[in-house]
Amino acid sequence: MRFIAFILLLFLYGCTLNVPKEVEVKYDEIPKKVDFNYHVKPILSDRCYNCHGPDEKSRRAGLRLDQEKIAFKKLSSGRTAIDPGSISGSEMAHRILSDDPDEVMPTPESNLSLTNSEKAILLRWIEQGAEWKEHWSFLPVQEVSSSSSEQYKNPIEDFISKKLQAK
């Protein structure tokens, strides 16, 4: 069902992207709701910050993916790196799916690559509006819901049990 929704969204956004089958398959396996801090930021940090991060000396194309304001701005090419809600309008989507060595990101020279799951996560994040979050340490503490099972004495045990069952 999610796969059909994904294809429909690509069609509705007038996408001219050629999404490989391998990425489409992984799209159905990734979490329904993608979280910036948990899913997206680790990918950007590991694969993108070398060329598009805080180090001014190594930064390319004037793009910083570690700062929200700059990540969503229009590039010198006139395109937008990340266009929230629009996969086809996001240069990032085109670059991560490209087969062209002159276009693909990360570049072949970087010796880095994205897995099909990571590509699917980035696409879903863009599709869901590319919600940016501050570092988790700056977010307000949220109360943990009480244990849903009488079997466990505290919410941590319940949380761990749910994660183990999911795996």
Side-chain angles (χ1 to χ4, degrees):
M1 184 65 179
R2 286 189 217 152
F3 174 72
I4 294 170
F6 173 68
I7 297 301
L8 213 72
L9 283 169
L10 288 177
F11 178 74
L12 290 173
Y13 285 112
C15 184
T16 58
L17 291 174
N18 181 19
V19 180
K21 284 269 189 228
E22 300 83 21
V23 175
E24 291 175 2
V25 168
K26 294 297 182 183
Y27 196 86
D28 211 24
E29 297 174 6
I30 63 174
K32 189 174 181 178
K33 175 68 176 149
V34 174
D35 180 79
F36 177 75
N37 282 330
Y38 189 75
H39 300 105
V40 176
K41 193 170 185 176
I43 297 169
L44 297 178
S45 178
D46 289 345
R47 306 302 192 309
C48 306
Y49 285 3
N50 283 344
C51 298
H52 303 294
D55 185 2
E56 192 174 322
K57 293 177 184 174
S58 66
R59 192 174 313 127
R60 296 185 183 172
L63 175 62
R64 284 188 74 165
L65 293 174
D66 64 317
Q67 291 186 349
E68 178 181 16
K69 219 176 197 182
I70 299 172
F72 294 124
K73 77 173 190 164
K74 206 169 263 248
L75 303 169
S76 58
S77 67
R79 298 177 179 154
T80 305
I82 302 169
D83 186 4
S86 175
I87 296 171
S88 64
S90 298
E91 186 66 14
M92 175 190 278
H94 292 274
R95 295 294 184 116
I96 66 173
L97 295 175
S98 177
D99 289 329
D100 182 348
D102 295 330
E103 295 283 322
V104 69
M105 291 292 159
T107 63
E109 300 85 46
S110 71
N111 292 321
L112 299 170
S113 62
L114 294 169
T115 67
N116 292 322
S117 292
E118 290 168 336
K119 291 175 185 180
I121 286 170
L122 293 173
L123 292 176
R124 177 164 284 163
W125 175 66
I126 293 169
E127 169 197 299
Q128 291 177 345
E131 180 186 0
W132 196 280
K133 289 184 179 178
E134 290 294 320
H135 188 274
W136 63 266
S137 65
F138 296 120
L139 296 175
V141 175
Q142 294 185 357
E143 191 173 321
V144 178
S145 62
S146 61
S147 176
S148 61
S149 171
E150 296 300 319
Q151 177 181 358
Y152 303 108
K153 294 182 177 160
N154 67 53
I156 294 172
E157 291 174 341
D158 189 46
F159 173 79
I160 291 171
S161 173
K162 286 178 183 174
K163 289 293 182 182
L164 287 172
Q165 288 173 1
K167 296 279 181 193

